[in-house]
Amino acid sequence: MKKKFYKKTLILIFGGAVLFTSFGFKSDFFEIAKQIEIFTTLFKEINMNYVDETSPADLMDTAIKSMLTDLDPYTNFWSEQDVQSSRINMEGEYTGIGAALKQDEDVWLITEVYKDYPADKAGLKPGDKITRIGNTKVSDFTEGAQALLNGSVNSAVNITYQRQGKTQQTSIKRSSVELKAVPFYALLEDNSGYVVLSRFNQKAYEETSRAVKDLKSQGADKIILDLRGNPGGLLSEAINVSNIFLDKGELITSTKSVIEKYNKEYYTQKEPIDTKIPLVVLVNGQSASASEIVSGAIQDLDRGVVVGARTFGKGLVQRPKEIAYGTQLKITISRYYTPSGRCIQALDYRKRDENGKAVRTKVEDYNAFKTKNGRTVYDGGGILPDVRLESSEYSSITRALLEKNAIFNYATNYYYQHDVQDPVKYTFSDADFNDFKSYLKSTDFTYKTNTEQELEELLITAQSEGFQQDILDSYKQISLEIDKSKAEELDHKKDEIKSVLQDQIIKHYFYQEGLYQNHVASSQEIKKAREVLNNPGQYAKILQN
């Protein structure tokens, strides 16, 4: 059995060697072959001679992931399941139950249920924890359990789940599920057309252009394109979406690499829908990749005003490469640049700190570039909006609350304790916020600031150099001050945290549609966008300064 595995492993590894050498890999073939021989010999000896039983597949998985760790987080080895998940995300269609899930220890946590799809019809809710799919425990799968929920149309799957501590069961009949690129658009009362573009899958241009045309037919004389929270997707769709508002033949982005074949320029190829209609693009810290290509092009070409918070800062381009047995290598092949020449990549993975973390480009190291009208813009840290809003920026405490599921879990409990009737009129009150703070105390919520992490590293260094006692008293005093500031930060960022809580609670009750209805009524970003669009003088001034 092991001999067969070694043979497959050699095919996999030498397939990778051919891949690298065929694209002009900088090292010579002898050095690559030498390192592969060393590795395969070591791999064989471990599996044949180690004192305990080994899993060749697990060892290989660890080896591959460890090797890729030294690169960037976007260069990844994809299993067959990963390849399938990527296909679903890009194509926007699959056959399953219609719910978003994430692994949470030994269960699959339902984070969102799509309206009118099988999971919704079966009564599943956000916060439900799937423990068994059919006769299979999800805890037996380190990854890939979600694939068990997919299957052919009208086939049934039995699910065991926990809700508020109680175990329940249901049977769900699978159906075709469509992941819309544009889940919502509407004509506002001031004739602003509002379009939410949530992902750049293969339907992004088609759905966005259809929405813009429909809104214009209804009387829209200005457009708000909402890219907040959009993590990106297909480069081709980013070019085409930009083309909706830009003339044919405009440079949208260029890519540069040490490999000549990846050095390309990408121009708009279609006839635009409207190159004159006033335009605002909304972005935040979760707007990344293709979202940054679109917002960067709109900004550099002075086609519209960008409103919100600095974007994520992902200026790297990936391409999947077939390897063997249905697996792929998703590899970073180039950096992309906006029309003015900016690379907005925020983290430099070629430079690492003492902890091995990529170094963030410092503001003082940003380089200045000029837009079409001569405005100054900068590289190195995402797209900086023309109009910045504090409400769009997530503080460290808000990010910690999201990462530790504190906001999601509170919203789940809130759903079972309150009756909310109207997504448009609902607001998360100050009394609710005080209840949230009590909830955090009951769960012993804690988080570390960057300052605390640096202090801990300082203490470790001082201890190794014999200075621990000299600074220990100061360290304790500073820690007390930090704890006091962290307690105050919860109240200081109350409005920001309330907004995030309100969004999550509304999604629990009214799905994505209700969330966007609430945003239209109360979002500070949309209010600011409308203010800019309804003041032609201000709009023109922003694009000229």
Side-chain angles (χ1 to χ4, degrees):
M1 188 70 182
K2 285 187 176 181
K3 289 183 178 179
K4 289 184 179 180
F5 178 81
Y6 297 145
K7 185 176 180 181
K8 290 182 179 180
T9 303
L10 287 171
I11 292 173
L12 172 63
I13 294 174
F14 281 107
V18 172
L19 168 70
F20 285 123
T21 54
S22 65
F23 287 101
F25 195 68
K26 293 186 289 294
S27 300
D28 59 29
F29 180 78
F30 172 76
E31 182 63 23
I32 296 173
K34 171 185 171 183
Q35 297 302 325
I36 289 174
E37 184 178 355
I38 292 172
F39 175 79
T40 52
T41 302
L42 179 144
F43 186 74
K44 176 180 178 181
E45 292 299 330
I46 289 175
N47 280 285
M48 292 183 66
N49 298 302
Y50 188 68
V51 61
D52 295 321
E53 184 70 23
T54 60
S55 168
D58 288 344
L59 284 175
M60 180 58 73
D61 187 60
T62 300
I64 291 172
K65 289 179 178 177
S66 297
M67 176 175 64
L68 298 181
T69 298
D70 282 342
L71 303 177
D72 61 70
Y74 312 112
T75 297
N76 295 310
F77 171 71
W78 277 355
S79 65
E80 291 179 83
Q81 173 57 30
D82 294 330
V83 174
Q84 176 70 4
S85 297
S86 175
R87 183 193 65 77
I88 289 170
N89 192 42
M90 290 300 103
E91 291 182 359
E93 289 185 3
Y94 70 100
T95 301
I97 68 170
L101 302 94
K102 76 173 184 178
Q103 191 167 3
D104 184 19
E105 296 181 349
D106 59 350
V107 300
W108 278 95
L109 177 67
I110 297 179
T111 58
E112 185 175 358
V113 174
Y114 305 139
K115 186 177 180 181
D116 295 331
Y117 282 112
D120 184 34
K121 293 177 180 178
L124 292 179
K125 301 293 182 183
D128 289 347
K129 299 175 181 180
I130 297 178
T131 58
R132 188 182 291 269
I133 301 171
N135 294 321
T136 304
K137 289 183 179 179
V138 299
S139 58
D140 293 339
F141 285 73
T142 55
E143 58 182 26
Q146 189 171 354
L148 298 175
L149 296 173
N150 299 334
S152 58
V153 174
N154 291 326
S155 62
V157 58
N158 296 318
I159 291 176
T160 303
Y161 62 97
Q162 293 178 349
R163 174 182 294 172
Q164 299 288 284
K166 296 181 179 179
T167 298
Q168 302 185 45
Q169 292 182 326
T170 188
S171 179
I172 302 178
K173 187 175 290 187
R174 300 178 179 96
S175 74
S176 178
V177 178
E178 180 183 5
L179 301 177
K180 290 185 177 181
V182 177
F184 182 87
Y185 70 90
L187 180 68
L188 310 186
E189 63 272 14
D190 63 350
N191 287 334
S192 293
Y194 175 62
V195 181
V196 178
L197 177 54
S198 63
R199 52 170 56 87
F200 284 89
N201 60 21
Q202 292 177 0
K203 299 180 180 181
Y205 169 73
E206 175 189 343
E207 293 183 16
T208 306
S209 58
R210 186 189 307 137
V212 171
K213 288 177 181 177
D214 188 19
L215 289 167
K216 280 171 60 67
S217 71
Q218 295 179 48
D221 54 17
K222 41 197 170 291
I223 295 292
I224 302 170
L225 180 63
D226 195 343
L227 298 180
R228 290 176 297 172
N230 185 323
L234 297 172
L235 172 61
S236 59
E237 292 299 294
I239 307 301
N240 290 336
V241 168
S242 302
N243 200 168
I244 293 172
F245 307 104
L246 293 166
D247 282 320
K248 182 178 181 180
E250 287 279 10
L251 174 67
I252 301 301
T253 189
S254 57
T255 58
K256 298 179 183 179
S257 171
V258 295
I259 300 175
E260 185 66 28
K261 67 182 294 181
Y262 296 138
N263 295 335
K264 293 184 177 181
E265 294 182 334
Y266 295 87
Y267 295 86
T268 51
Q269 302 290 322
K270 303 175 182 293
E271 293 300 328
I273 292 176
D274 195 326
T275 62
K276 301 297 182 182
I277 191 168
L279 172 67
V280 163
V281 179
L282 299 181
V283 296
N284 63 10
Q286 286 74 49
S287 305
S289 190
S291 293
E292 294 172 299
I293 289 176
V294 172
S295 55
I298 295 299
Q299 186 178 62
D300 279 6
L301 298 172
D302 297 304
R303 175 58 188 87
V305 174
V306 181
V307 173
R310 187 187 294 277
T311 60
F312 184 82
K314 181 178 180 291
L316 305 175
V317 179
Q318 288 74 44
R319 177 173 293 180
K321 298 288 186 179
E322 300 287 343
I323 300 180
Y325 303 103
T327 64
Q328 291 182 356
L329 172 67
K330 184 175 73 102
I331 184 171
T332 298
I333 60 170
S334 59
R335 293 177 175 82
Y336 72 78
Y337 296 77
T338 67
S340 69
R342 293 183 286 168
C343 181
I344 51 82
Q345 176 64 27
L347 294 175
D348 189 346
Y349 296 100
R350 296 165 295 182
K351 299 177 183 178
R352 306 274 178 163
D353 61 19
E354 61 274 12
N355 297 313
K357 295 181 179 179
V359 175
R360 180 174 290 274
T361 304
K362 297 180 180 178
V363 174
E364 56 265 30
D365 294 329
Y366 290 174
N367 298 298
F369 296 81
K370 294 294 183 180
T371 69
K372 190 175 183 178
N373 289 342
R375 296 187 297 143
T376 301
V377 289
Y378 297 91
D379 66 0
I383 302 297
L384 182 66
D386 304 309
V387 179
R388 297 179 64 181
L389 295 177
E390 188 175 337
S391 58
S392 297
E393 299 176 359
Y394 283 178
S395 61
S396 58
I397 189 170
T398 301
R399 288 194 295 270
L401 289 167
L402 289 167
E403 290 169 2
K404 295 194 174 184
N405 282 341
I407 286 176
F408 179 85
N409 291 337
Y410 179 82
T412 300
N413 292 339
Y414 189 99
Y415 175 82
Y416 291 105
Q417 296 170 4
H418 297 78
D419 183 22
V420 177
Q421 296 292 330
D422 190 339
V424 176
K425 296 179 180 179
Y426 173 75
T427 56
F428 190 77
S429 68
D430 286 345
D432 289 330
F433 185 72
N434 289 332
D435 183 64
F436 175 66
K437 290 197 296 183
S438 298
Y439 167 79
L440 292 182
K441 289 181 181 179
S442 71
T443 60
D444 295 324
F445 169 79
T446 59
Y447 74 103
K448 282 187 180 179
T449 64
N450 290 334
T451 302
E452 286 177 298
Q453 292 174 349
E454 291 175 4
L455 277 173
E456 288 179 2
E457 292 168 8
L458 175 63
L459 187 62
I460 292 171
T461 302
Q463 183 178 8
S464 67
E465 295 178 351
F467 297 120
Q468 181 184 14
Q469 194 58 47
D470 294 341
I471 69 167
L472 186 58
D473 291 340
S474 297
Y475 171 80
K476 289 180 178 178
Q477 183 60 40
I478 294 173
S479 295
L480 289 173
E481 291 297 324
I482 291 175
D483 287 341
K484 180 181 177 182
S485 296
K486 285 165 65 176
E488 294 172 349
E489 186 75 355
L490 196 62
D491 285 319
H492 180 62
K493 297 295 182 181
K494 181 175 76 171
D495 290 342
E496 175 185 306
I497 296 169
K498 282 176 61 179
S499 176
V500 179
L501 279 161
Q502 180 169 308
D503 284 356
Q504 188 59 66
I505 288 169
I506 288 174
K507 283 178 68 176
H508 270 64
Y509 285 95
F510 305 107
Y511 313 91
Q512 282 189 350
E513 183 180 7
L515 175 65
Y516 299 129
Q517 290 172 349
N518 182 269
H519 280 181
V520 167
S522 63
S523 167
Q524 294 301 312
E525 290 81 3
I526 295 176
K527 288 180 180 178
K528 187 63 178 181
R530 295 171 68 177
E531 175 189 315
V532 171
L533 288 170
N534 286 314
N535 188 332
Q538 181 185 7
Y539 180 84
K541 184 178 180 181
I542 292 171
L543 294 179
Q544 293 299 327
N545 286 345

